[in-house]
Amino acid sequence: MRQRLLTAVTAAVLVAGPAFADLTIIDTSYRTGPYAANGIPFSDGYQDYFTLLNERDGGIGGEKINLVECETGYNTEKGVECYEGTKGAGNGALLYQPLSTGITYQLIPKATADGIPLHTMGYGRTSSKNGGVFPFVFNYPANYWDGASHAITHILEQNGGDISGKKIALVFHNSAYGKEPIRTLEELGKKHGFEVMLLPVDHPGQEQKSQWLQIRQQRPDYVLMWGWGVMNQVAIQEAVNIRFPMENFIGIWWSGSENDVKAAGAGANGYKALAFHNLGSNYPVYDDLRKYVVDAGKAAGAGDQLGTVLYNRGMYAAILAAEAIKTAQEMHGTAAINASQMRDGMENLDMTEAKMTALGVPNFGPEFKVSCQNHGGNGYGAVSQWDAAAGEFKLITDYYQSDQEVISALVAEDSAAFAAENGITPGC
Amino acid sequence: MPDQLLFGMEVVLNGLMAGVLYALVALGFVLIYKASGIFNYAQGVMALFAAMTLVGIMEGNVPFSHLINAVFGTQVHHFGWQVPGIAAVALTMIVMVALAWVVNQLIFRHLVNQAPIILFMATIGLAYFLEGFGDVMWGSDIKKLDVGLPQGLNTVIDDLTYGLFGYGFFIDNLDIVATVVAALLVGSLVVFAQYSKQGRAMRAVADDHQAALSVGVSLNFIWVMVWSLAGFVALVAGIMWGTKSGVQFSLSLIALKALPVLMLGGFTSIPGAIVGGLIIGVGEKLFEFSVGTMVGGATENWFAYVLALIFLVFRPQGLFGEKIIERV
């Protein structure tokens, strides 16, 4: 009897534990499975920044952050299980960052019904930029369609503004994610007179000989890539093998981390990838991360990912979440905000350069302002290039704004179709 | 010669090369199935584990370093030395033999005479265990594997075909190496199985466990030997595929490429694995080249299985598999 009582008390304490923390953020990470090499640095960056805020500042507005990690293995079903299992954690989850387009698609109706915001930074359903239709989904600062436009803008810039008659191939993961840029590229092709060549690659993408033989035979002027995981490494290696000029090979930001190029060695030098934030670790915030988190033994991982592309992206996601929390706290006059107030904070987020500089990340990301009509930011992105000798990606362009004429029309069309299918009356 | 014909010839050649790589994975399945009747679901993970171990040894990484550091608060990652490729391959083979022994001692020794489905389930468990064990032992980051194999365009074939047809064929140097290695491997395995004492014992066990036991063949020894051979084949496959894509979790998924090869070539034939691999490789590449572009592409994964199913309908035991007749 005593033992049963002790067990019951222990269980009650364990369950009640998270309730002491007030700002609950869920990190649906993947540290196992085929995409673990990418999931780990992102999650480390995301968690380490929140740990820094807890250790250095005592949380946000005096409230500690309760970060709950849930392993999805990049599996959509597990992602949904994570959501269902954690939405009530602590005082209730404030925010999800699913880090998977598949999981995002499943969570959009659930999170909307539960009133919990999703931040799908640079992935997910692109038309969720329209906050009038997707009130609880935010995809700032840039989305896939912006990315397609950034790549074309870069190619235009390299060709004196005229790419009529050029052939641009898209090597893409044969999934909802990989197919996202097709429509945008087709519209941009009509506008600028280039031809689009589509080359799907089935999951996981370990064998791409057919696609790259077609590229060798048909000689497109540029190759764009929407890949993830092993597909990226194999594609870059195959491009090296057929001697495709690396400076004409541009990947989306999910095809542009150190993991993607290192396996191909020196041959990958010059490969380009899009980015919606800056790279490297030469920022004041890193001094604090080392002092308060890594050296204090509180890092989420082994502490060996600082400054990598995906660590920076995870950290940037955490910075944007933290700033949205601050905005919500100011708006509602309370430090212990709820999910609905968090949504308000995200919808009124204003990221200025002055704010980023004060946070120790000057010139790290483009300025943008969120509104009800625009949950996706202003559509700015840049191009980075791999320097194999230095072992790092470097931004080689300023931030371009995507072609708003084309993108806005596509967002309006797709979100209207979603609203019609789901009986949503759009409105802000 | 018309461009499309030249392109088609290039596709066929590359299909043959890809088929050899598929066959390398299929060989491991065949070896274990032939000797023990076990369909080894863990063969792909064994290739991953072997390749991870090889890179870890070559780079002088400390196994279980994350675990050690987390438990003892240390910061050890490297021994500070590098091991040459050949020596690392030999050391990795020792690890694979040890793995074979452990697998046999802890799992399969206790499952003799169990139904095939039980043995199959055991290999599923083994696969998931090895996945996690490999990650804990060597980390889940993507590792570059460089044992000095050439990679990229073969300029001799490029120049030769350019001189002949006015169009240079692309053949990857790594694929040529894989073809030579696969030929040597199959030749050695066939000779071993036909002419060595252990090889004959392996075939005896494959024919009838109890009859083999009654004439003094040690089932334990044969199974450890076969799992070790499968470990060696996994290591070779891991080197070839790992050189292409880096050593990472997805290497374990190459097993998916071996299944249609096995269905087509038969589960019990070593030459069948090679012929099956070549047919699948050429078939899927040619289909993608000729029909794929008309139906949106990405046909290779499913077409390989369609091809295997067509063969199955006419020859259920596969092209080279043994026909099983059970009298009742």
Side-chain angles (χ1 to χ4, degrees), chain A residues 70-340:
Chain A
C70 187
E71 170 70 32
T72 70
Y74 198 68
N75 177 307
T76 299
E77 286 164 23
K78 282 190 192 167
V80 174
E81 276 176 32
C82 274
Y83 173 82
E84 295 294 348
T86 57
K87 66 184 181 185
N91 289 341
L94 292 183
L95 174 69
Y96 282 84
Q97 176 76 244
L99 198 59
S100 151
T101 294
I103 296 173
T104 299
Y105 269 70
Q106 293 302 314
L107 293 191
I108 286 174
K110 289 176 181 290
T112 303
D114 293 335
I116 303 172
L118 301 178
H119 183 202
T120 63
M121 189 176 76
Y123 61 90
R125 184 168 188 131
T126 304
S127 63
S128 59
K129 182 181 170 87
N130 183 352
V133 175
F134 299 93
F136 284 88
V137 189
F138 297 82
N139 57 0
Y140 50 73
N143 58 54
Y144 294 134
W145 298 350
D146 292 326
S149 174
H150 298 148
I152 299 304
T153 304
H154 181 61
I155 294 170
L156 277 165
E157 197 177 81
Q158 291 201 311
N159 288 275
D162 181 14
I163 54 173
S164 56
K166 299 269 184 205
K167 188 187 279 186
I168 298 176
L170 173 69
V171 177
F172 63 98
H173 195 270
N174 196 22
S175 63
Y177 150 62
K179 290 173 184 170
E180 279 277 344
I182 294 174
R183 179 83 195 280
T184 311
L185 288 173
E186 285 171 349
E187 292 298 320
L188 289 168
K190 283 182 211 158
K191 184 172 178 175
H192 298 290
F194 63 85
E195 181 190 343
V196 183
M197 176 184 170
L198 299 176
L199 296 165
V201 174
D202 266 339
H203 171 82
Q206 203 123 32
E207 170 58 32
Q208 298 178 32
K209 196 71 85 189
S210 294
Q211 289 77 11
W212 288 93
L213 279 178
Q214 285 183 60
I215 286 170
R216 188 167 182 269
Q217 291 162 356
Q218 297 186 31
R219 300 179 186 279
D221 299 286
Y222 292 87
V223 174
L224 308 183
M225 174 161 67
W226 252 247
W228 189 226
V230 71
M231 178 186 154
N232 292 338
Q233 292 98 49
V234 173
I236 292 168
Q237 183 61 60
E238 293 288 2
V240 173
N241 289 349
I242 68 162
R243 299 180 180 177
F244 188 83
M246 278 295 148
E247 63 276 13
N248 290 355
F249 188 11
I250 307 169
I252 183 65
W253 36 73
W254 301 115
S255 301
S257 77
E258 296 84 353
N259 290 331
D260 301 322
V261 283
K262 278 189 173 168
N269 189 51
Y271 168 74
K272 291 175 179 172
L274 304 171
F276 52 78
H277 56 79
N278 218 323
L279 309 165
S281 59
N282 194 20
Y283 298 95
V285 72
Y286 270 103
D287 297 334
D288 285 352
L289 278 166
R290 289 193 183 92
K291 181 179 169 186
Y292 291 98
V293 181
V294 179
D295 294 345
K298 294 186 160 79
D304 56 355
Q305 298 290 331
L306 276 73
T308 62
V309 173
L310 291 169
Y311 185 94
N312 277 12
R313 192 163 303 156
M315 181 182 77
Y316 187 37
I319 289 172
L320 298 181
E323 291 311 299
I325 291 172
K326 286 181 199 168
T327 307
Q329 288 173 335
E330 285 164 15
M331 282 176 71
H332 293 282
T334 175
I337 57 166
N338 59 30
S340 171

Side-chain angles (χ1 to χ4, degrees), chain A residues 33-34 37 40 174 200 202-204 206-207 209-210 213-214 216-217 230 233-234 237 241 243 259 262-263 302, chain B residues 7 10 22 66 140 144 151-153 158 167-168 170 172 175 244-245 248-250 285 293 296 298 300-301:
Chain A
I40 289 170
N174 196 22
D202 266 339
H203 171 82
Q206 203 123 32
E207 170 58 32
K209 196 71 85 189
S210 294
L213 279 178
Q214 285 183 60
R216 188 167 182 269
Q217 291 162 356
V230 71
Q233 292 98 49
V234 173
Q237 183 61 60
N241 289 349
R243 299 180 180 177
N259 290 331
K262 278 189 173 168
Chain B
F7 293 163
E10 186 183 30
Y22 302 160
H66 287 320
S140 55
K144 180 172 169 54
Q151 213 175 349
L153 176 75
D158 185 41
Y167 173 73
F170 172 81
D172 191 341
D175 290 347
K244 275 163 79 87
S245 63
Q248 55 179 301
F249 181 93
S250 297
K285 295 282 180 290
T293 47
E300 286 164 281
N301 276 3

Side-chain angles (χ1 to χ4, degrees), chain A residues 108-109 125 127 133-134 413-424:
Chain A
I108 286 174
R125 184 168 188 131
S127 63
V133 175
F134 299 93
E413 184 187 320
D414 193 73
S415 57
F418 181 86
E421 279 168 26
N422 293 277
I424 297 168

